[in-house]
Amino acid sequence: MIKELYIQKSSIIHGLNFWTKFLCFLLILPLTAFLSSAKALVLIAGIFFIFLSLSKISWQKFWQMTKIYIIPITIGVIILSLFFSPEIWQKRIIEGLILAIRFSLLISFGILFSAVTNPIEIPAGFLQAKIPHKYGITLMVGYRMMPLIAQKIGTVIDAQKARGAKIEFSFKNLPYLPFVVSSLVVPILHSTLETSVRLSDTLIARDYNPEGKITTPPAKINFYDALIFSFSLLILIIGMIFK
């Protein structure tokens, strides 16, 4: 079983209300993506490391979770900037690095949110906001199924290789990519549908009714919720004023 995104810890960040974490993420998202200047990215990076330290997740473990996304995106963005930017090559590299930092921060904040948010908090948070629980359950199940589907895709690829198939995703084998994908689509689709049927049978066996009523858990808002949300809101305002 591959590693889950959620990392169980006893920390200030883990103990926050679901909506506090979600709203803070939504506040930081536009600031990191396009509202802040290049100089402000240093401040945003500092905020990220503060949140990471408060979550008690080790930097080494977090890097292992994010490097498979950050490294190729950084290289790809810089290469695209070198080819398509109209500036001189020095400015192309600088622009590519700035854009890569923005993407890296967005990915890091997103993975940190996933690492500190227990999937069971999603339907509970929806219920607290008076949103029908069936949407929260759907989102939670999809969130939890992503690692399992990724594992099944890896299993199918290994099985095809064991049968003699040459599956390599590279520029060299780009002309053969449609044939490679077609050999993987059917078994992956079959495995995914089989998993969805089992999940549906499990929900039916537990007598889950998407239209039924579920007890709404009490919303727990503490001092740290108000503090961190106010801090995130303040950072957004500062970033917009001093852009």
Side-chain angles (χ1 to χ4, degrees), residues 113-132:
F113 171 76
S114 301
V116 300
T117 305
N118 192 330
I120 201 65
E121 296 178 38
I122 298 174
F126 274 54
L127 287 173
Q128 291 168 1
K130 306 301 180 182
I131 300 173

Side-chain angles (χ1 to χ4, degrees), residues 31-92:
L31 183 64
T32 306
F34 56 87
L35 290 180
S36 64
S37 63
K39 294 180 180 179
L41 292 177
V42 178
L43 175 62
I44 297 173
I47 294 169
F48 166 74
F49 285 114
I50 291 173
F51 285 168
L52 182 61
S53 300
L54 291 174
S55 69
K56 296 183 180 179
I57 299 174
S58 66
W59 294 8
Q60 293 82 3
K61 185 177 183 62
F62 191 82
W63 173 245
Q64 291 297 322
M65 297 170 62
T66 56
K67 67 179 182 180
I68 59 174
Y69 307 105
I70 291 178
I71 293 176
I73 286 178
T74 300
I75 296 173
V77 167
I78 293 175
I79 292 174
L80 289 174
S81 179
L82 283 172
F83 277 102
F84 296 104
S85 178
E87 304 290 342
I88 59 175
W89 70 270
Q90 294 93 336
K91 289 187 176 181
R92 292 180 185 179

Side-chain angles (χ1 to χ4, degrees), residues 6-26:
Y6 174 65
I7 301 174
Q8 187 173 2
K9 295 281 185 179
S10 177
S11 69
I12 294 174
I13 303 297
H14 283 77
L16 294 176
N17 184 274
F18 166 76
W19 287 108
T20 302
K21 290 183 278 192
F22 184 67
L23 291 175
C24 288
F25 176 65
L26 290 184

Side-chain angles (χ1 to χ4, degrees), residues 151-197:
Q151 182 194 27
K152 287 183 176 295
I153 292 174
T155 302
V156 170
I157 291 175
D158 291 339
Q160 295 289 59
K161 288 182 178 180
R163 291 183 174 92
K166 295 182 179 180
I167 301 176
E168 294 182 6
F169 298 96
S170 62
F171 288 106
K172 181 180 179 181
N173 295 324
L174 193 59
Y176 305 100
L177 187 60
F179 302 100
V180 172
V181 173
S182 62
S183 67
L184 298 176
V185 166
V186 174
I188 290 173
L189 184 61
H190 177 271
S191 178
T192 304
L193 291 175
E194 184 181 18
T195 302
S196 66
V197 170

